[in-house]
Amino acid sequence: MSNRPLQLASAITLLAATLSGGLQAAESKPSFVESGSFQVCSDPTYPPMEFFEQAGAKEPSGFDTDLVRALAKHWGVQPRFIVTEFTGLLPGLDAKRCDVVISGTLVTPERTQKLNAVAYLSTATVVFGSGKGDLTLNTLDDLSGKVVAVQSGTQYVGIMEKLNERLKAAGKTPATLQTYPKGSDVAQQVLVGRASAGLSQDTELAYRELQSPGQFKTLYSFPEKDIFGAYMRPNPQDQAAVQAAVNALKADGTLQTIAEKWKLDPVNLNTAAQ
């Protein structure tokens, strides 16, 4: 007697179980949205990632905020933005003032030692100057003796500190480092000439060029790719649920639409580390 009917029945059972498991995985939500609210810490001073488009606006706009809304819709919950200065974003997450940080925050080994991160967009660090300035950089060492502005609490501080150590070791004058609480402050210092250069990401500089052509210029672009990530408190299930949601939004074209809306190259969605 043939065993094919039994084999077929077993195959159907296995397929049903697989589909059921896949459906459950697709429908899984992170534990922090069980209350029906998705609370995100954000520093809306960093266009086009997050910023207030108009004075008096109640909620921020930008790539990250659209991502937050898309995630909330995917999970069937309401998004809530908790405005926080950049240096307070991750401490606020650790103190449970929010569920996630999605705010132009780069994934770094130091941060992922304590927190989970899900990558969603790649970017590159740039040194920029005023469009009217005559400063040119062949290498970063050409910042010797110059005033450089950076946002406090970012990786740019460490980049400049390492550069100054190298300049000192070579017998050169270190750069004068100025730190400011907001990325918009950094841009303003460069614009008015109080700083010769500033550090930011290519995403922000591209947006500023879109808004005011010729206002700034890229002086140096770092060859390494940086990664923007969504940070959450350590929980493997929550991290997996957020990763699955980001993957779903990539697959259905939602993130590409958001990237194109904010004039970001959609190819950067595909180069983010998984």
Side-chain angles (χ1 to χ4, degrees):
M1 182 176 177
S2 173
N3 288 328
R4 287 184 180 177
L6 292 175
Q7 293 171 346
L8 179 60
S10 297
I12 292 174
T13 300
L14 178 61
L15 177 62
T18 301
L19 291 175
S20 175
L23 182 60
Q24 290 174 0
E27 293 177 346
S28 64
K29 299 178 182 180
S31 62
F32 49 72
V33 300
E34 290 176 355
S35 64
S37 176
F38 179 31
Q39 302 186 80
V40 179
C41 284
S42 173
D43 173 26
T45 65
Y46 189 48
M49 304 308 288
E50 48 274 314
F51 64 109
F52 288 113
E53 286 192 273
Q54 298 176 347
K58 293 183 179 180
E59 287 197 346
S61 301
F63 180 94
D64 283 344
T65 54
D66 283 349
L67 169 59
V68 169
R69 294 183 181 103
L71 287 170
K73 182 179 180 181
H74 183 78
W75 292 321
V77 298
Q78 291 297 317
R80 181 188 173 205
F81 296 95
I82 300 172
V83 175
T84 309
E85 283 196 359
F86 191 86
T87 52
L89 289 174
L90 298 182
L93 173 64
D94 194 47
K96 300 184 178 180
R97 288 196 290 269
C98 56
D99 303 317
V100 173
V101 168
I102 299 179
S103 188
T105 308
L106 298 177
V107 178
T108 67
E110 295 79 13
R111 291 169 179 166
T112 52
Q113 284 181 356
K114 297 181 178 179
L115 299 166
N116 289 157
V118 171
Y120 58 85
L121 187 73
S122 65
T123 178
T125 299
V126 295
V127 180
F128 69 95
S130 169
K132 297 180 180 179
D134 56 6
L135 176 63
T136 59
L137 299 180
N138 293 316
T139 71
L140 287 178
D141 287 7
D142 292 336
L143 288 174
S144 171
K146 302 295 190 297
V147 176
V148 181
V150 300
Q151 185 178 8
S152 56
T154 65
Q155 68 164 1
Y156 314 135
V157 177
I159 289 173
M160 288 305 303
E161 288 175 343
K162 290 180 180 178
L163 172 63
N164 278 342
E165 289 175 4
R166 189 169 75 241
L167 290 173
K168 289 179 181 178
K172 298 180 180 180
T173 304
T176 299
L177 180 62
Q178 296 180 342
T179 60
Y180 297 90
K182 301 177 182 179
S184 54
D185 295 335
V186 172
Q188 184 65 19
Q189 297 307 304
V190 173
L191 188 62
V192 300
R194 293 195 186 99
S196 299
L199 269 67
S200 188
Q201 296 302 124
D202 55 4
T203 48
E204 181 187 21
L205 203 62
Y207 182 78
R208 294 191 183 280
E209 176 63 21
L210 179 68
Q211 296 298 101
S212 302
Q215 194 172 45
F216 299 102
K217 61 183 177 182
T218 299
L219 303 175
Y220 180 85
S221 182
F222 287 71
E224 305 85 3
K225 281 289 186 180
D226 297 317
I227 303 296
F228 287 127
Y231 279 90
M232 64 214 76
R233 290 180 292 277
N235 182 310
Q237 290 75 31
D238 286 349
Q239 183 181 22
V242 174
Q243 182 69 73
V246 169
N247 289 344
L249 294 175
K250 287 182 181 180
D252 68 13
T254 298
L255 289 193
Q256 178 171 337
T257 298
I258 294 174
E260 291 172 344
K261 173 184 175 181
W262 296 107
K263 310 303 180 184
L264 302 179
D265 191 342
V267 72
N268 287 346
L269 298 169
N270 303 321
T271 55
Q274 296 296 323

